[in-house]
Amino acid sequence: MHSFITLSFFSSLCSLSVLALRIPFDVHVQTPASNPTAHFPRQSSSNSIVPVGNTQNSFYYTNIMLGGQNISVMLDTGSSDLWVTGSVSGAKDTGNSLKLSYAVGTAAGDVYTAPFEFAGKSVSDQAFLLVTNVSSFSTNIHAEGYDGLIGLGPNSGSSIYKKLSGNSGNNPINRIFEQSSSNDYITMMLSRKGDPGSNTAGQFTIGEIVPGFENIIKMPQLSIEKVYKVTNVDQHWQIVTDKNIGIIGPDGQPIRYSSIAPKAPDGTIVGVLDSGFTLPQVPRTVSDAIYGRVQGAEWSASNGAWLVPCGQLINVTFNFGGVSYPIHPLDVSSSDFGVTFSNGNPACLGTFQPVTSAFSLLGEYDMILGMAFLRNTYTLINYGNFIKGGSNSNNPYVQLLPLTNIESAVNDFIQVRLNGQNTINSSQYTLLPASQQQHSPESAKEKKQAYEELVLSHWPYILAGSIAFLILLISYCVWRCCCRRKRLAKKAAKKAAQQKGGAASVGGFKSGPYAQLHDSQSTASLVMKPMGGSTADFEEDYSGKDTFARSR
């Protein structure tokens, strides 16, 4: 196992599936011979600044206090729940059960509450999932440095929160900031093992800046790309790259990609900051642009990643808010996984993998910026109005301080990968022409996902269009019915008028032309009166009678 991920996938608009990424190869972890069960990093001099341990650049963990016990937990900005293994003294059972499924196994158990302390902050009755049986896990998480996981993502993604009523199920960070809305941010800095030039120590803070890194508050405030409210379980720390220059590839040119996120501005890419994800996942076209022009690069279907020569220095830079964030070349490819080319020769793993298992069916993001990216930044996440029950009405944001100096990073790479011999400009490491770039194959499953994403990511527009079409259809039907009724009414009125008019024309000489009698014998029936009769006599005899009745 190399990374947990709980980024939300929807099998429907209301169903959240908590998943994880399993890398099909092993990271080389060495447990200290002395006291092999101790994983607690050394405490900082400030209670609000806690050290972050590093397991071979693949897991980052720190200490929490739960029920009076020190427990080492993995830091995960990509999920929102707290769970631990073993037992917790004095914990109270809430009577609720929960199951979180990961690629390495299932974290299942009952939801408890217990006193909680973290980075100098405390909560009297924090809800958490107690996992008593870890036999389903395919790896020994304790040997890898931790006995649980603390989710640092938005509260809306918490499964425990959905289980418990009211605010009692809010995740740990939410509970902390409920109590105090001032300085409602966290900061995180991840160390890099195997880098002789790195002086960065892993540190985590709540509401405090690590001394010496105060310039982070001068960095641009990157707005969190909010998802639609009905799908806020898929809300993460999502930020948008600069337009048209979001990712600069190995050739120094921007990598072109069209975002799948419907609300993303044209020319930008949406990325999720996820400290629980070892290897970043990016769109396949981006991964191919990074590694496809490397001489000797090989796509590994079994590993689902590019393999490259370990001596190949690959430059990649991300741009956010007008600031460039170069990625250390030791983070662009990794020698920590023991992979080999198809001919058996040693290879390095391309860390920016094509996005597959972390695919967003709802199209809320394009890439997962995991540990290999976050090692190059000091990260501040301000929760703002994402805090349920908090008083901060400001929108949440992220600030990133660049940590990688390009010149120093190149020297580090030469020392580590080339044994101090600067051959990075030799012909064997020259990039292939763009016309010779290799492309990784897209599986049938990915094509299906892409189609599903195309539909689901545009559901608001499809829904609005369907409603509009339905309204138009109903309106048309009503209009047609009204028109038909009017025609029928008009026809009936005309017929009635004709009938009435015909009768009136005969009886009263008031309308219609004179109708000539066709039956010449009809006159025989007329009663002839003497001419001497008066007008009064005529009226008396024939008043009210149809004197000139039409023969039938």
Side-chain angles (χ1 to χ4, degrees):
M1 180 191 75
H2 293 78
S3 57
F4 277 99
I5 177 172
T6 53
L7 292 168
S8 309
F9 299 95
F10 272 70
S11 56
S12 68
L13 291 180
C14 300
S15 175
L16 173 66
S17 178
V18 184
L19 301 176
L21 174 68
R22 173 99 187 258
I23 302 175
F25 34 79
D26 296 323
V27 64
H28 303 299
V29 179
Q30 294 181 346
T31 303
S34 60
N35 196 11
T37 61
H39 303 291
F40 307 133
R42 182 174 300 173
Q43 182 64 45
S44 169
S45 58
S46 171
N47 288 334
S48 295
I49 302 177
V50 295
V52 175
N54 178 353
T55 301
Q56 206 62 28
N57 296 329
S58 294
F59 305 101
Y60 291 90
Y61 55 91
T62 193
N63 301 336
I64 63 170
M65 187 79 75
L66 193 61
Q69 299 173 226
N70 258 325
I71 301 176
S72 182
V73 293
M74 180 180 175
L75 293 168
D76 185 11
T77 58
S79 67
S80 304
D81 287 301
L82 170 64
W83 61 266
V84 300
T85 62
S87 60
V88 175
S89 300
K92 297 180 180 179
D93 195 341
T94 65
N96 292 277
S97 298
L98 190 63
K99 180 185 291 186
L100 303 175
S101 297
Y102 297 89
V104 295
T106 300
D110 296 329
V111 178
Y112 286 78
T113 62
F116 169 82
E117 294 181 33
F118 184 34
K121 313 296 182 181
S122 62
V123 175
S124 60
D125 57 346
Q126 178 59 51
F128 67 97
L129 179 66
L130 183 62
V131 180
T132 56
N133 186 352
V134 295
S135 60
S136 68
F137 285 93
S138 60
T139 186
N140 186 342
I141 63 173
H142 181 77
E144 290 174 344
Y146 58 96
D147 295 296
L149 179 147
I150 183 168
L152 305 170
N155 194 62
S156 61
S158 168
S159 297
I160 294 176
Y161 161 68
K162 297 178 182 66
K163 271 284 184 181
L164 303 185
S165 59
N167 294 335
S168 60
N170 289 342
N171 69 11
I173 297 298
N174 199 104
R175 293 294 302 277
I176 290 171
F177 290 146
E178 281 176 43
Q179 301 171 166
S180 174
S181 60
S182 62
N183 296 334
D184 48 0
Y185 63 84
I186 63 173
T187 77
M188 181 171 53
M189 189 157 41
L190 306 181
S191 63
R192 181 183 300 105
K193 283 194 172 181
D195 179 4
S198 175
N199 296 318
T200 301
Q203 298 180 78
F204 179 89
T205 76
I206 298 179
E208 186 172 338
I209 304 297
V210 174
F213 295 88
E214 291 81 5
N215 282 340
I216 192 170
I217 63 175
K218 298 179 182 179
M219 291 296 104
Q221 295 182 1
L222 306 174
S223 299
I224 299 301
E225 185 74 6
K226 293 185 178 181
V227 304
Y228 297 102
K229 188 172 181 61
V230 72
T231 60
N232 64 1
V233 289
D234 204 33
Q235 180 69 64
H236 296 88
W237 303 122
Q238 290 144 247
I239 57 177
V240 180
T241 66
D242 289 347
K243 185 175 181 178
N244 296 329
I245 56 170
I247 306 176
I248 306 300
D251 60 356
Q253 298 300 312
I255 297 176
R256 301 296 181 186
Y257 174 75
S258 179
S259 175
I260 65 173
K263 296 196 297 181
D266 291 341
T268 64
I269 306 175
V270 180
V272 172
L273 303 178
D274 188 352
S275 64
F277 213 104
T278 304
L279 303 179
Q281 290 208 339
V282 296
R284 184 172 293 278
T285 54
V286 174
S287 181
D288 290 352
I290 294 174
Y291 304 108
R293 291 175 60 186
V294 172
Q295 293 186 58
E298 182 179 296
W299 172 255
S300 173
S302 59
N303 295 322
W306 283 100
L307 305 181
V308 296
C310 289
Q312 179 75 52
L313 187 147
I314 303 174
N315 293 310
V316 177
T317 299
F318 288 79
N319 291 301
F320 293 99
V323 178
S324 295
Y325 298 89
I327 305 302
H328 199 294
L330 293 176
D331 290 326
V332 181
S333 65
S334 174
S335 59
D336 294 328
F337 299 98
V339 293
T340 60
F341 289 115
S342 57
N343 61 10
N345 291 334
C348 277
L349 183 79
T351 53
F352 288 83
Q353 299 180 308
V355 59
T356 52
S357 63
F359 192 84
S360 172
L361 281 179
L362 290 177
E364 305 293 7
Y365 52 84
D366 301 294
M367 56 187 178
I368 314 298
L369 299 177
M371 303 172 195
F373 170 85
L374 292 173
R375 279 193 288 271
N376 297 274
T377 67
Y378 177 37
T379 304
L380 183 153
I381 299 175
N382 189 299
Y383 285 69
N385 57 21
F386 273 6
I387 297 300
K388 188 176 184 297
S391 60
N392 191 337
S393 60
N394 297 322
N395 289 324
Y397 61 84
V398 166
Q399 289 176 293
L400 301 173
L401 179 68
L403 296 181
T404 299
N405 177 279
I406 297 177
E407 184 178 349
S408 297
V410 170
N411 290 332
D412 294 341
F413 184 87
I414 292 171
Q415 294 299 318
V416 174
R417 296 284 182 83
L418 299 172
N419 298 318
Q421 302 297 314
N422 186 357
T423 58
I424 59 174
N425 293 319
S426 63
S427 59
Q428 63 178 322
Y429 296 131
T430 301
L431 292 176
L432 295 171
S435 60
Q436 297 181 30
Q437 177 184 319
Q438 298 185 70
H439 298 275
S440 57
E442 184 179 25
S443 67
K445 181 180 179 181
E446 288 178 73
K447 292 179 181 179
K448 180 182 177 183
Q449 285 179 328
Y451 176 77
E452 292 171 343
E453 178 277 323
L454 181 64
V455 176
L456 290 177
S457 66
H458 291 79
W459 68 265
Y461 307 102
I462 295 174
L463 179 61
S466 299
I467 293 174
F469 175 76
L470 182 61
I471 292 173
L472 288 174
L473 182 62
I474 293 174
S475 300
Y476 176 75
C477 292
V478 171
W479 177 75
R480 291 286 296 174
C481 289
C482 291
C483 290
R484 185 172 182 273
R485 290 182 65 183
K486 287 182 178 179
R487 286 198 304 270
L488 292 175
K490 187 176 181 180
K491 185 176 181 181
K494 184 177 181 181
K495 184 176 181 181
Q498 288 176 345
Q499 291 177 345
K500 183 177 179 180
S505 65
V506 174
F509 297 97
K510 294 181 179 181
S511 63
Y514 174 79
Q516 183 179 356
L517 295 174
H518 296 289
D519 187 356
S520 60
Q521 302 301 319
S522 64
T523 56
S525 63
L526 297 177
V527 178
M528 304 301 292
K529 287 288 184 179
M531 293 298 295
S534 67
T535 303
D537 293 335
F538 179 85
E539 290 177 352
E540 181 180 354
D541 290 343
Y542 296 102
S543 177
K545 296 182 182 179
D546 190 4
T547 306
F548 294 95
R550 185 174 299 177
S551 63
R552 301 182 184 280

